[in-house]
Amino acid sequence: MEENKELDDFIRKSVKELGFEQPPSNFTDAVLSKINASAQQLPTTVYQPVLSKKAWAVILIMVAFVFSYLIFLDPELEVGWLSRLNTLTAFDWSGNLPDIRISNTFVYGTLIGAFFVVVQVFMIKHFFDRRYELS
């Protein structure tokens, strides 16, 4: 305890002898001007979407064209790949499908696994939301 008191007295005496260093009067202005200058020099990244609005419009037009071609044209038309699509529409869905038996263990395991995947996604989202929140 006595050592701490001696050390404390020594530090107080040293600080009084040296005094406090005063910053120049324009210190704040100089620091802020340097910060502004360095911020202006940094290149800004402008984020652009992978697909532009024109690309989405072209994709939408192509999909609409394909669907209208399949719906409104004569189904008896024999065109290479179109005839193969017509065989898909002629499939008999009311026929006998094979009886698939799935064990209860598999169902429970799949449900529990899906539950934990969802929980993990929400936890990771919450982690990154907290990490990158604006303060």
Side-chain angles (χ1 to χ4, degrees):
M1 180 88 172
E2 188 65 33
E3 294 174 4
N4 289 338
K5 185 174 179 177
E6 290 177 12
L7 181 62
D8 190 42
D9 291 339
F10 174 74
I11 292 174
R12 285 180 195 268
K13 182 181 175 185
S14 299
V15 168
K16 283 182 182 178
E17 287 177 4
L18 292 176
F20 293 108
E21 184 176 338
Q22 296 294 326
S25 61
N26 63 351
F27 177 76
T28 305
D29 294 333
V31 169
L32 289 176
S33 66
K34 287 183 181 181
I35 290 173
N36 289 335
S38 66
Q40 291 174 357
Q41 293 174 355
L42 295 175
T44 57
T45 303
V46 178
Y47 293 101
Q48 295 181 355
V50 176
L51 295 175
S52 66
K53 291 183 180 183
K54 290 180 183 179
W56 278 114
V58 168
I59 291 171
L60 182 64
I61 290 170
M62 290 173 56
V63 168
F65 176 74
V66 168
F67 277 118
S68 63
Y69 180 74
L70 292 175
I71 292 172
F72 296 117
L73 284 180
D74 184 19
E76 301 299 324
L77 184 63
E78 294 294 328
V79 178
W81 59 272
L82 186 60
S83 63
R84 284 188 230 126
L85 288 177
N86 287 337
T87 58
L88 291 176
T89 59
F91 181 73
D92 183 21
W93 290 99
S94 64
N96 293 333
L97 293 175
D99 187 23
I100 300 174
R101 297 188 186 271
I102 300 174
S103 70
N104 288 340
T105 306
F106 179 77
V107 173
Y108 295 146
T110 304
L111 289 175
I112 291 171
F115 172 74
F116 283 123
V117 166
V118 169
V119 168
Q120 186 174 10
V121 166
F122 282 116
M123 288 177 66
I124 291 173
K125 181 189 178 303
H126 181 68
F127 170 77
F128 281 111
D129 285 346
R130 274 195 349 225
R131 185 173 179 186
Y132 295 115
E133 72 183 1
L134 296 175
S135 299

